[in-house]
Amino acid sequence: MDLYTTDAIPVPGGPPIREAWLVAELHPRSDEGAVSALKMRAAAEGADAVIGLRIAMSESEGAKGFGRSFLAYGTAVKRSRG
C-alpha cells in the first residue's frame, strides 16, 4: 500500500486512476495508529494507493481529563492495469 501526501501519484507515465473514494480512520492514541488503520481499510477495500493523506488531531476534556483523537484521511485510488 502506497501513501502520498501530494494530491497525485508521483509516477510519470504510470497507470491512470480507474476509481477513487474517500477513506478515513479514527484512532484514540496516536497518529501512527490512525495511519496504520487507514492503510488496512484502504487495502481491504481494494485500493492500490492513498493520495492526499492528511492527519488531524482533536483534544477534548471529559470526566477523565483531557483526551486526544487522531484522524487520518485521504483519497483511496485503484489504478488501471494497463
Side-chain angles (χ1 to χ4, degrees):
M1 172 63 56
D2 298 325
L3 294 172
Y4 300 104
T5 56
T6 62
D7 292 327
I9 301 172
V11 182
I17 294 172
R18 187 176 74 213
E19 296 177 52
W21 62 96
L22 181 64
V23 288
E25 279 295 324
L26 188 64
H27 194 274
R29 292 190 271 305
S30 70
D31 56 345
E32 292 92 354
V35 170
S36 179
L38 179 75
K39 288 171 67 174
M40 289 189 309
R41 173 180 288 253
E45 292 179 5
D48 293 316
V50 174
I51 59 174
L53 175 66
R54 304 287 188 262
I55 300 172
M57 190 264 301
S58 67
E59 290 184 320
S60 61
E61 185 176 3
K64 296 182 180 182
F66 285 99
R68 289 185 178 159
S69 293
F70 296 86
L71 175 69
Y73 62 99
T75 303
V77 296
K78 183 87 173 155
R79 299 177 186 148
S80 294
R81 299 284 182 222

